[in-house]
Amino acid sequence: MDNKSSPLMKICSFIVDKRNLFFLIYIILIIFSIFSSNWVSVENDLSEYLSDDTETRQTMDMMEKEYTTFGSAKVMISNISLSEAFEVYEKIKESPGVSETSFLPDYLKPGSTEVPDEDEELTLEEIRDHYNDSSALYNVVFRYADDDDRALESLDTLKASLASYDLHVSSDLGDVQADAIAEEMKLIIAVVGIVVVTVLILTSQTFGEVPVLLLTFVAAALINNGTNFLMGTISFVSNSVAIVLQLALSIDYAIIFCNHFKEEREHYDTRDAVIVSLAHSIPEISSSSLTTISGLLALLFMGYGLGADLGTTLTKSILISLVAVFTLMPGLLVLFSDLMMKTKHKNLVPMIPFVGRFAYATKRVIPPLFLLVAAAGFYFSNKCPYVYGYSTLTTPVRNDAQITEDMIEATFGSDNIIAINLPSHDYYKISKIAETLEAMPEIKSVTSLSNTEAKKGYMVSQPLTPRQFSEMADLDYDVSTMLYSMYASDKEEYGRIIGGVGKYRIPFIDIYMFLHDKIDEGYIDPDPEDRKDLDDTYDKLSLARRQLQGKTYERMLVSLELPEESPETFAFLGGLHRIIDPVFEAEMDEDPSLRVYIAGESTSEMDLKGQFETDNIVVSVVSVLFVLVILLFTFQSAGMPLLLIAVIEGAIFINFSFPTLMQANLFFISYLIVSSIQMGANIDYAIVMGSRYQECRKTMGRKDSIIETVNFAFPTIITSGSILAIAGTVIGFLTSDGAIAGIGQCLGRGTLISMFLVLLVLPQILLLGDKFIAKTAFSVSRPIRAKDESGIIRVDGMIRGRISGQIIGTVHGIIRGDVQASIISGDITKLADNEGQDIEEYIDEKDK
């Protein structure tokens, strides 16, 4: 074999000859990746990927700076009497690390003689918020921030103390959902692995190629997973599905290379067969991967950051798979070559000439029917019931955390909380807002410092005079005035002291915290019993302030009667600013950086809805344009790319009409991601069909061409398509996460639809569009030329004829003998008449 014929051949020879070096490199990379995979930071909150210009993202950033969010949990105990529920309430309050527990008031305790005030008496509905159907619900707040490990330790201690009860705990502490998804993905990977091995065995021609394909993929997957830390932080969606989608999207590349090797192995020894097949495979595989990569890169244009996260992760996985196929797989083919030759078996993938004949017979019927179905798909897909949160999604499986949430919601209903952040600490303005909101039928309750009672009818943030404070705190009036004077001096408000502090008003929470500080400093010495009450109140106020009052903003927690996601909810949220903003107009005019911020699950979903409306158009257009440009260069024709894209776009429309027809909600990101993957990856099936048809039409009639095309493309489509379809379906039906389940189900269904259309609709479209393809070609084919040469002859191009035996195919090489062939493309050049001279001797002479 001539290793000097091209730079590509030299590179391929180097890769094969230095295979042991590449084995060592991959072993080192795999070992490193096993350790580095633990460095990957995974983001479990999808709202973190909202763009910076959304109100939810801005509000979250602001709240992180202004407040402390403490760890919390909902604790439900089933099959418990009311008296036992109060006993558990006391136990929870005494549990280490618990700072606050909400339950029913003591007057409802069985046997209690306490009579509540008229305004304190709870309605039956309010009682059922905490005790219903022999179940008790406690809202627990811990002393530590939600990102503090001590909060999780306190939760574990609480669970242990209540283990004897029928206990159900729902909390965001820890990575419960992420851990559940990680366990599910282990099962998914195992199932997909079994399926892939089965498909490869059934569609392969030798059992020995299966370990080659698997080793190549496993190495690429491990390295991709181990290099994810280079991205900083990746989403749990990318972290979960990347390895399965990497397999499904890139297994084609290894199969193409392996098939080329098996063909070349019939004519060359192992080393040379690997070199030649690698040289043929590199341009073909690289070209094939471009459409997949272009579809994934379209995700980078999304405003919602999850698209860029998944697009980058999967693009990296495809590139790593390509490198593994080009550098690791050649050595594996050399290593397993003998086994591959020994384990050949009958090809189990049948020829399907009847499909080609059916296509020819229905070429005028199927395309119009496809247009009608695609138009219907377009109509119904535009009515797809997209949702932007998890509250209305159902998944085939439910993890323990979700089951607990379902039980709590079924017994006590669900909470829809939003946080309204006001750019002021003005008690009267905030009280006015709280009163206005509480009067609205859409609002269940409002919690803020301005409407939380501290003692004796006074609110936590209400400004008090020295006399009011002395009455409320049971302090001597003289001590109270002294305290106010000390406060004025500490704040350098000396005019208050000179003019007298009798009318000086200080928010209760501020003067009370100041009182506690002066007690600690020894200026005031209360009785031990009073000191304990002071300390308890101080702890509660400190907790409330850190949660609800920041340096500039004050937070108000509002519980809505509205569902988490609905047009009514979004309309109500849109009107809140019109109610609240005018109250704080003076503050915002004085400092333009200030504004009223509102955040919650509902506002996040409203922002996502707005982003989706833009991202939907951008991703669809960009993915089609990317693929179109690649196909224009591939086919040198405008007609062929348009026909291929039309078929896959029709498959996308049909795919996303199913949620509409099934009345099943679909998480919006599933559409954006799957439509990009479907356009980028499934188009490869159409490319295989279109390329083969275009090639066959140079020497055959339309009917023979389409029969040959379908026979040729079927094994590739059935192997690649079944792996991607099954992988997606397994993901969709074995995960408890709504976003991941939607991606899997839509990808599996979409791939099956694409396979069906490519095999049973595209052939008819190619036949009907035959003249359109020819007329839109960028270059006119040269006429077929016949040549009859003997001696040493260089052949470069597509020929049909005899070289000491019949041949049809693309040939690059030097032949000693007789060539009688028609030149379809390329050229045949006679080099010498030395018929008896060996080719290698001839080349050596020329080199000299």
Side-chain angles (χ1 to χ4, degrees), residues 452-485:
T452 301
E453 188 177 54
K455 197 174 182 182
K456 297 181 179 178
Y458 293 107
M459 302 301 154
V460 168
S461 62
Q462 182 176 350
L464 305 177
T465 64
R467 183 167 298 281
Q468 289 172 322
F469 182 70
S470 68
E471 292 173 354
M472 196 212 69
D474 293 326
L475 280 179
D476 183 80
Y477 178 68
D478 291 335
V479 174
S480 180
T481 55
M482 178 189 71
L483 183 69
Y484 270 61
S485 297

Short mmCIF file of all heavy atoms in Angstrom, two decimals, residues 452-485:
data_model
loop_
_atom_site.label_atom_id
_atom_site.label_comp_id
_atom_site.label_asym_id
_atom_site.label_seq_id
_atom_site.Cartn_x
_atom_site.Cartn_y
_atom_site.Cartn_z
N THR A 452 -46.82 41.44 61.61
CA THR A 452 -46.59 40.35 62.56
C THR A 452 -46.61 40.93 63.98
O THR A 452 -45.83 41.84 64.30
CB THR A 452 -45.24 39.67 62.31
OG1 THR A 452 -45.23 39.16 60.98
CG2 THR A 452 -44.99 38.55 63.30
N GLU A 453 -47.51 40.41 64.79
CA GLU A 453 -47.65 40.95 66.14
C GLU A 453 -46.48 40.55 67.02
O GLU A 453 -46.05 39.40 67.04
CB GLU A 453 -48.96 40.46 66.77
CG GLU A 453 -49.27 41.13 68.09
CD GLU A 453 -50.61 40.68 68.67
OE1 GLU A 453 -50.80 39.46 68.80
OE2 GLU A 453 -51.45 41.54 68.97
N ALA A 454 -45.95 41.56 67.73
CA ALA A 454 -44.86 41.29 68.66
C ALA A 454 -45.41 41.00 70.05
O ALA A 454 -45.11 39.96 70.65
CB ALA A 454 -43.91 42.48 68.72
N LYS A 455 -46.24 41.90 70.57
CA LYS A 455 -46.77 41.73 71.91
C LYS A 455 -47.83 42.79 72.16
O LYS A 455 -47.68 43.94 71.72
CB LYS A 455 -45.64 41.87 72.94
CG LYS A 455 -45.94 41.32 74.32
CD LYS A 455 -44.69 41.40 75.19
CE LYS A 455 -44.96 40.82 76.57
NZ LYS A 455 -43.77 40.93 77.44
N LYS A 456 -48.91 42.39 72.79
CA LYS A 456 -49.95 43.33 73.22
C LYS A 456 -50.48 44.20 72.08
O LYS A 456 -50.70 45.40 72.25
CB LYS A 456 -49.42 44.22 74.36
CG LYS A 456 -49.07 43.44 75.63
CD LYS A 456 -48.58 44.37 76.73
CE LYS A 456 -48.26 43.58 78.00
NZ LYS A 456 -47.75 44.45 79.08
N GLY A 457 -50.63 43.61 70.91
CA GLY A 457 -51.22 44.34 69.80
C GLY A 457 -50.26 45.18 69.00
O GLY A 457 -50.65 45.79 68.01
N TYR A 458 -48.99 45.24 69.40
CA TYR A 458 -47.99 46.00 68.66
C TYR A 458 -47.30 45.09 67.64
O TYR A 458 -47.00 43.94 67.93
CB TYR A 458 -46.95 46.60 69.60
CG TYR A 458 -47.49 47.67 70.51
CD1 TYR A 458 -47.69 47.43 71.87
CD2 TYR A 458 -47.82 48.93 70.01
CE1 TYR A 458 -48.20 48.43 72.71
CE2 TYR A 458 -48.32 49.92 70.83
CZ TYR A 458 -48.52 49.66 72.18
OH TYR A 458 -49.02 50.64 73.00
N MET A 459 -47.04 45.69 66.48
CA MET A 459 -46.41 44.93 65.40
C MET A 459 -44.88 44.99 65.51
O MET A 459 -44.33 45.91 66.10
CB MET A 459 -46.87 45.44 64.04
CG MET A 459 -48.37 45.39 63.85
SD MET A 459 -49.02 43.72 64.01
CE MET A 459 -50.71 44.01 64.51
N VAL A 460 -44.25 44.03 64.87
CA VAL A 460 -42.80 43.88 65.00
C VAL A 460 -42.05 45.13 64.55
O VAL A 460 -41.09 45.56 65.18
CB VAL A 460 -42.31 42.65 64.22
CG1 VAL A 460 -40.79 42.63 64.11
CG2 VAL A 460 -42.79 41.37 64.89
N SER A 461 -42.46 45.71 63.43
CA SER A 461 -41.72 46.86 62.91
C SER A 461 -42.43 48.18 63.18
O SER A 461 -42.06 49.22 62.64
CB SER A 461 -41.48 46.72 61.40
OG SER A 461 -42.72 46.69 60.71
N GLN A 462 -43.45 48.16 64.04
CA GLN A 462 -44.20 49.38 64.33
C GLN A 462 -43.37 50.35 65.16
O GLN A 462 -42.79 49.98 66.18
CB GLN A 462 -45.49 49.03 65.08
CG GLN A 462 -46.37 50.23 65.38
CD GLN A 462 -47.67 49.81 66.03
OE1 GLN A 462 -47.99 48.62 66.11
NE2 GLN A 462 -48.44 50.78 66.51
N PRO A 463 -43.28 51.64 64.76
CA PRO A 463 -42.54 52.62 65.56
C PRO A 463 -43.28 52.92 66.87
O PRO A 463 -44.50 53.17 66.87
CB PRO A 463 -42.50 53.85 64.66
CG PRO A 463 -42.77 53.34 63.27
CD PRO A 463 -43.70 52.20 63.47
N LEU A 464 -42.56 52.89 68.01
CA LEU A 464 -43.15 53.09 69.32
C LEU A 464 -42.49 54.26 70.05
O LEU A 464 -41.28 54.49 69.90
CB LEU A 464 -43.01 51.83 70.17
CG LEU A 464 -43.55 50.51 69.60
CD1 LEU A 464 -43.26 49.36 70.54
CD2 LEU A 464 -45.03 50.61 69.32
N THR A 465 -43.28 54.97 70.85
CA THR A 465 -42.73 55.99 71.74
C THR A 465 -42.14 55.29 72.96
O THR A 465 -42.40 54.10 73.21
CB THR A 465 -43.81 56.97 72.17
OG1 THR A 465 -44.80 56.25 72.94
CG2 THR A 465 -44.47 57.63 70.96
N PRO A 466 -41.35 55.99 73.78
CA PRO A 466 -40.81 55.37 75.01
C PRO A 466 -41.91 54.80 75.91
O PRO A 466 -41.74 53.73 76.50
CB PRO A 466 -40.06 56.52 75.69
CG PRO A 466 -39.67 57.43 74.56
CD PRO A 466 -40.81 57.36 73.58
N ARG A 467 -43.05 55.50 76.00
CA ARG A 467 -44.11 55.00 76.88
C ARG A 467 -44.73 53.73 76.31
O ARG A 467 -44.96 52.76 77.04
CB ARG A 467 -45.17 56.07 77.08
CG ARG A 467 -46.29 55.63 78.05
CD ARG A 467 -47.15 56.79 78.47
NE ARG A 467 -46.39 57.81 79.19
CZ ARG A 467 -46.02 57.73 80.46
NH1 ARG A 467 -46.33 56.64 81.18
NH2 ARG A 467 -45.37 58.70 81.04
N GLN A 468 -45.00 53.72 75.02
CA GLN A 468 -45.55 52.51 74.41
C GLN A 468 -44.61 51.32 74.57
O GLN A 468 -45.04 50.21 74.86
CB GLN A 468 -45.84 52.76 72.91
CG GLN A 468 -47.00 53.69 72.64
CD GLN A 468 -47.11 54.06 71.18
OE1 GLN A 468 -46.08 54.26 70.50
NE2 GLN A 468 -48.35 54.17 70.68
N PHE A 469 -43.32 51.58 74.41
CA PHE A 469 -42.36 50.49 74.53
C PHE A 469 -42.28 49.99 75.97
O PHE A 469 -42.16 48.78 76.21
CB PHE A 469 -40.98 50.94 74.05
CG PHE A 469 -39.95 49.84 74.09
CD1 PHE A 469 -40.00 48.77 73.21
CD2 PHE A 469 -38.93 49.87 75.04
CE1 PHE A 469 -39.07 47.76 73.26
CE2 PHE A 469 -37.99 48.85 75.09
CZ PHE A 469 -38.06 47.80 74.20
N SER A 470 -42.34 50.91 76.95
CA SER A 470 -42.26 50.50 78.36
C SER A 470 -43.45 49.63 78.73
O SER A 470 -43.33 48.66 79.46
CB SER A 470 -42.18 51.73 79.27
OG SER A 470 -43.41 52.45 79.25
N GLU A 471 -44.63 49.97 78.17
CA GLU A 471 -45.83 49.16 78.45
C GLU A 471 -45.72 47.78 77.79
O GLU A 471 -46.08 46.77 78.39
CB GLU A 471 -47.07 49.89 77.92
CG GLU A 471 -47.39 51.18 78.67
CD GLU A 471 -48.52 51.95 78.02
OE1 GLU A 471 -48.95 51.51 76.92
OE2 GLU A 471 -48.96 52.98 78.59
N MET A 472 -45.23 47.79 76.60
CA MET A 472 -45.17 46.52 75.88
C MET A 472 -44.10 45.60 76.43
O MET A 472 -44.28 44.38 76.54
CB MET A 472 -44.92 46.77 74.39
CG MET A 472 -45.21 45.58 73.51
SD MET A 472 -44.14 45.51 72.07
CE MET A 472 -42.59 45.13 72.84
N ALA A 473 -42.93 46.18 76.81
CA ALA A 473 -41.80 45.36 77.25
C ALA A 473 -41.76 45.20 78.77
O ALA A 473 -40.80 44.62 79.29
CB ALA A 473 -40.50 45.99 76.76
N ASP A 474 -42.80 45.75 79.47
CA ASP A 474 -42.83 45.69 80.95
C ASP A 474 -41.58 46.31 81.56
O ASP A 474 -40.97 45.78 82.49
CB ASP A 474 -42.97 44.23 81.42
CG ASP A 474 -44.32 43.65 81.05
OD1 ASP A 474 -45.31 44.41 81.04
OD2 ASP A 474 -44.39 42.45 80.74
N LEU A 475 -41.17 47.48 81.02
CA LEU A 475 -40.01 48.22 81.54
C LEU A 475 -40.50 49.45 82.29
O LEU A 475 -41.56 50.02 81.98
CB LEU A 475 -39.12 48.68 80.37
CG LEU A 475 -38.15 47.69 79.74
CD1 LEU A 475 -37.39 48.37 78.61
CD2 LEU A 475 -37.17 47.12 80.74
N ASP A 476 -39.70 49.85 83.27
CA ASP A 476 -39.97 51.11 83.94
C ASP A 476 -39.85 52.23 82.92
O ASP A 476 -38.97 52.21 82.06
CB ASP A 476 -38.96 51.31 85.08
CG ASP A 476 -39.26 52.59 85.86
OD1 ASP A 476 -40.15 52.57 86.71
OD2 ASP A 476 -38.58 53.61 85.57
N TYR A 477 -40.75 53.23 83.01
CA TYR A 477 -40.76 54.30 82.01
C TYR A 477 -39.43 55.05 81.98
O TYR A 477 -38.92 55.42 80.92
CB TYR A 477 -41.90 55.28 82.27
CG TYR A 477 -41.93 56.44 81.30
CD1 TYR A 477 -42.23 56.24 79.96
CD2 TYR A 477 -41.63 57.74 81.74
CE1 TYR A 477 -42.24 57.29 79.06
CE2 TYR A 477 -41.64 58.80 80.84
CZ TYR A 477 -41.95 58.57 79.50
OH TYR A 477 -41.94 59.64 78.62
N ASP A 478 -38.83 55.28 83.17
CA ASP A 478 -37.55 55.99 83.22
C ASP A 478 -36.46 55.18 82.50
O ASP A 478 -35.60 55.74 81.81
CB ASP A 478 -37.14 56.25 84.67
CG ASP A 478 -38.06 57.26 85.35
OD1 ASP A 478 -38.65 58.07 84.62
OD2 ASP A 478 -38.18 57.21 86.59
N VAL A 479 -36.53 53.87 82.71
CA VAL A 479 -35.55 53.01 82.02
C VAL A 479 -35.78 53.10 80.51
O VAL A 479 -34.84 53.14 79.72
CB VAL A 479 -35.66 51.55 82.50
CG1 VAL A 479 -34.75 50.64 81.68
CG2 VAL A 479 -35.32 51.45 83.97
N SER A 480 -37.04 53.15 80.11
CA SER A 480 -37.36 53.22 78.69
C SER A 480 -36.86 54.53 78.08
O SER A 480 -36.26 54.53 76.98
CB SER A 480 -38.88 53.11 78.51
OG SER A 480 -39.22 53.17 77.14
N THR A 481 -37.09 55.67 78.76
CA THR A 481 -36.60 56.95 78.23
C THR A 481 -35.08 56.98 78.18
O THR A 481 -34.49 57.54 77.24
CB THR A 481 -37.13 58.12 79.07
OG1 THR A 481 -36.76 57.92 80.47
CG2 THR A 481 -38.65 58.25 78.97
N MET A 482 -34.44 56.40 79.20
CA MET A 482 -32.97 56.34 79.18
C MET A 482 -32.51 55.52 77.97
O MET A 482 -31.55 55.89 77.28
CB MET A 482 -32.46 55.71 80.48
CG MET A 482 -30.93 55.56 80.51
SD MET A 482 -30.36 54.58 81.92
CE MET A 482 -30.90 52.95 81.45
N LEU A 483 -33.20 54.43 77.74
CA LEU A 483 -32.83 53.57 76.61
C LEU A 483 -32.98 54.32 75.30
O LEU A 483 -32.11 54.24 74.42
CB LEU A 483 -33.73 52.32 76.61
CG LEU A 483 -33.44 51.27 75.54
CD1 LEU A 483 -32.10 50.60 75.82
CD2 LEU A 483 -34.54 50.22 75.51
N TYR A 484 -34.05 55.10 75.15
CA TYR A 484 -34.27 55.87 73.93
C TYR A 484 -33.19 56.94 73.76
O TYR A 484 -32.73 57.22 72.63
CB TYR A 484 -35.65 56.52 73.96
CG TYR A 484 -36.74 55.66 73.35
CD1 TYR A 484 -37.04 54.40 73.88
CD2 TYR A 484 -37.46 56.07 72.25
CE1 TYR A 484 -38.03 53.59 73.34
CE2 TYR A 484 -38.46 55.29 71.69
CZ TYR A 484 -38.74 54.04 72.23
OH TYR A 484 -39.72 53.24 71.67
N SER A 485 -32.78 57.54 74.87
CA SER A 485 -31.72 58.55 74.80
C SER A 485 -30.41 57.91 74.37
O SER A 485 -29.66 58.48 73.55
CB SER A 485 -31.54 59.22 76.17
OG SER A 485 -32.71 59.91 76.54
#
